[in-house]
Amino acid sequence: MNGISRRGLLKTGVAAGVLGLSGMPLRAQSRGGKFTAGIGGANTSDSWDGRTHSDLFMIAAALGGVYDALTEVAADGSLQGELATSWEASPDAKVWTFNLRQGVTFHNGKAFGADDVIESLQMHVAEGSKSAAQPLVAAITEMRKITDHQVQFTLEAGNADFPYLLSDYHLLMYPAGQIEESIAKGIGTGLYEVVAFDPGVRFVGRRVADHYKGDSAGFFDEVELIAINDNTARMNALLTGQIDAVNRIDFRLEPLLRANPNVSIQEVTGNQHYTFPMLTQSAPFNDVNVRRALKYGVDRQEMVDKILLGHGKVGNDSPIGPANQYYHAEMEQLAYDPDRAKFHLKQAGLDSLNIDLSASNAAFEGAVDAAQLYQSSAAPAGININVIQEPADGYWSNVWLVKPFSASYWSGRSTEDWMFSSAYEAGVPWNDSQWDNARFQELLYSARAELDSDKRREQYYEMQQILRDDGGVVIPMFANFVQAISNRVVTPDVVGNTAQMDNNRMLERWSLA
């Protein structure tokens, strides 16, 4: 079995067995009770179709809740099997063979097997699919069923990170021949089966008896996610004891949360970053000098101080963060420099620039305030930003990827290639700036298949510099994951840092005291 991983921590199912299916050393945790969380990021268009999932409410309800993926990123950043038990690669990392877990059934009683894997992945590359995972699956040139519990994937080029990609929250496993029914009713192999689901409002799940994960995960009898997109309302629901946990705390209310003896704040440093993408295929953002003017026109430290209240660090227009193996920490930091911004405007043939910036706190908490800070800091450079406050509901479908300049959010990804191939590879659905740089693409494909860590580091460092200097996304800040929980909730000693709420897996990993 190949031990290829970003940090030498890639775990096959055999190695993962000593940790248990939760990804951390097994320890005594109480079973039972009901867990209720108030979660932002819900929409009335929500469904069990993993291709459409983009924010925590549906991701947490599905991944580690109602559905499973083939692999799972553990809290310590290592990779382990979920519906796959082990895998091995050809020497060029182009052909991967996965052994599937036996004895697993969907909530409707159908046995899980190779046909389910192939059909679940094919839906992402079906005609008309707008799945963000489309480029991940499109890189597979052949999916072959070897036995009922073994699948072989042939890739168009070697990819050392391929097993990591199969943990993507879009790549949920559905029952073959019943995918439409599964999406309509929420039929998966996860720890919780659907009791109630009202899109954009509420999800209730009941623990599956005799689940294949046994006693190592899924410690609640019942779970409930309540959609509370308004941040103040979410904090108040926790303070008054109506719910047990909230994501994305309102930093303005942090003193109240800390003063409450029944509430604990959990802060984790990871790759979460807040962004302002520009559509680089449209004027004026198709001019690199306009993009550079906007990069120098933002006061990054001011945003960290006033929006994050210090719960994060300045960004450098690269999405690769401190939780990634090849994070270029020594790369020269872009500074706030209105004079240099003016210089680049003149290089673009402009004395001033008038642009709209669309923002909503649905993008990230404080996005509207951040846009207004951007407006203020850019003005001395002759950049006049008109902030448009957009409605929260429908923001991701009506604004993001649509408006020329907008506020956005990324939790980051576990590997560099995963992040780049999701949002910066030319032509992928979630390339929210429509950016295309020939040298970047060349390095992307080369680094993806490179097994020499030193060579990969050189390539990823150069790619981060290209993004800083040429890219179409302003990344002013990396934000810590800051969430709050009731003291009746117990969390593991190590909490995941690749996404909110324990890598989106709170329903699987947390328990009641």
Side-chain angles (χ1 to χ4, degrees), residues 130-169:
K130 296 181 180 179
S131 171
Q134 187 274 340
L136 306 183
V137 181
I140 305 171
T141 58
E142 182 184 14
M143 290 184 271
R144 186 162 69 92
K145 174 183 176 180
I146 300 175
T147 70
D148 284 344
H149 292 93
Q150 193 174 64
V151 179
Q152 188 173 85
F153 302 102
T154 300
L155 311 182
E156 60 185 4
N159 189 337
D161 292 336
F162 182 66
Y164 269 97
L165 302 183
L166 294 179
S167 70
D168 187 286
Y169 60 79

Side-chain angles (χ1 to χ4, degrees), residues 233-255:
R234 202 160 64 245
M235 303 305 111
N236 286 337
L238 178 65
L239 287 168
T240 55
Q242 300 175 61
I243 56 178
D244 299 311
V246 296
N247 68 319
R248 297 177 189 162
I249 76 164
D250 186 335
F251 297 130
R252 295 169 298 181
L253 298 179
E254 183 180 357

Side-chain angles (χ1 to χ4, degrees), residues 435-446 459 462-463 466:
W435 183 67
D436 186 353
N437 177 287
R439 176 58 179 166
F440 183 90
Q441 302 305 319
E442 176 188 358
L443 288 165
L444 177 65
Y445 304 139
S446 176
Q459 293 169 321
E462 183 179 348
M463 293 165 77
I466 292 172

